[in-house]
Amino acid sequence: VDVSQTVEVEPRGKEGELSFDQGSLQRYTLLCGQHIDGGLRDKPSKSRDFYHSCYSLSGLSISQHSSSKDGIPVVYGDARTNVIKPTHECFNIRVERVEEARKRFKDEVCKHEELVS
């Protein structure tokens, strides 16, 4: 992500165009959700784990990229360190990986009988 093409935000009321405050979600995740030794957690009193790391990163990505104008992410704090790559909202993997899979399997024929046998 080209950090010169980002909008840095500070939480102050509802930030962004989604139904939640995008700046506050990023701030909480980055300041309270990170474990000192790496990984992300549900809340500061909890331990880190893969589940919360995965979904915290997904939430960061959606809050940065889903309502971006002209592909410019909305980033809390320093975009050089805080911006992450976009993830697909349904599949929860990076957008370019979804496109690679679609290209790879677009001509494959899948028969229902093969799936259920």
Side-chain angles (χ1 to χ4, degrees):
V1 175
D2 180 3
V3 295
S4 67
Q5 296 293 314
T6 59
V7 176
E8 294 180 3
V9 298
E10 293 291 328
R12 55 187 172 290
K14 186 169 175 317
E15 189 70 54
E17 297 179 9
L18 299 177
S19 62
F20 58 89
D21 186 326
Q22 293 165 246
S24 291
L25 174 67
Q26 291 179 55
R27 180 175 186 250
Y28 179 84
T29 302
L30 294 168
L31 299 178
C32 301
Q34 290 191 87
H35 189 276
I36 190 84
D37 295 321
L40 295 159
R41 54 196 171 190
D42 185 20
K43 46 183 101 52
S45 63
K46 301 290 185 177
S47 60
R48 62 192 169 156
D49 58 47
F50 291 118
Y51 176 85
H52 288 98
S53 293
C54 175
Y55 285 99
S56 292
L57 290 171
S58 179
L60 277 175
S61 176
I62 288 170
S63 68
Q64 290 178 355
H65 299 283
S66 287
S67 69
S68 61
K69 293 183 170 95
D70 301 320
I72 299 173
V74 175
V75 180
Y76 169 77
D78 187 352
R80 293 172 297 171
T81 57
N82 293 346
V83 70
I84 62 174
K85 293 187 177 187
T87 57
H88 192 278
E89 295 90 349
C90 293
F91 301 119
N92 199 24
I93 59 175
R94 290 193 351 218
V95 172
E96 63 267 20
R97 299 294 186 244
V98 173
E99 295 306 316
E100 290 170 9
R102 284 187 172 148
K103 287 178 188 173
R104 163 70 177 87
F105 295 106
K106 91 176 173 166
D107 296 326
E108 295 287 325
V109 177
C110 180
K111 295 180 182 167
H112 179 71
E113 296 81 29
E114 293 174 6
L115 294 173
V116 294
S117 60

